[in-house]
Amino acid sequence: MDSKLAKIAVRIFVWLAPFVFAGFAWFITSQLHDIKTLQTEQTNKLQGVTGDVQVINAKLDSGVIWRITELERRVNTVEAAQKTP
């Protein structure tokens, strides 16, 4: 380290390094907080969608059961008509 310019650069780096690292740490922390917040929001939305899917499944199930019941009734009606002479 014979050069004055090198000595000055090292001194500047030594004085500025803690501030640079602190700024970098703050930035990383804020980004992690934003990611966690976004993840929480998405989890809440996903739970709402899951509830909606369960309601849709229940409606589809009841519709399918109704349709099968109607088809059984029709088949029984046709079978009864065929048995009658």
Side-chain angles (χ1 to χ4, degrees):
M1 293 261 170
D2 294 336
S3 170
K4 282 189 171 189
L5 185 61
K7 287 181 182 179
I8 292 172
V10 168
R11 284 184 183 158
I12 290 173
F13 178 76
V14 167
W15 285 99
L16 290 180
F19 297 109
V20 171
F21 289 133
F24 185 70
W26 173 82
F27 177 74
I28 294 297
T29 303
S30 69
Q31 292 300 310
L32 287 174
H33 176 70
D34 291 345
I35 289 170
K36 287 179 182 179
T37 302
L38 181 63
Q39 184 180 13
T40 302
E41 290 173 2
Q42 289 177 344
T43 300
N44 292 339
K45 288 179 182 178
L46 182 61
Q47 288 174 349
V49 169
T50 302
D52 293 344
V53 168
Q54 289 175 349
V55 169
I56 290 171
N57 282 340
K59 288 181 179 181
L60 287 174
D61 289 346
S62 66
V64 168
I65 291 170
W66 176 82
R67 183 69 179 152
I68 290 172
T69 304
E70 287 298 310
L71 290 173
E72 285 178 352
R73 185 183 60 78
R74 289 180 182 178
V75 167
N76 290 336
T77 303
V78 170
E79 287 177 351
Q82 287 178 353
K83 290 180 182 178
T84 306

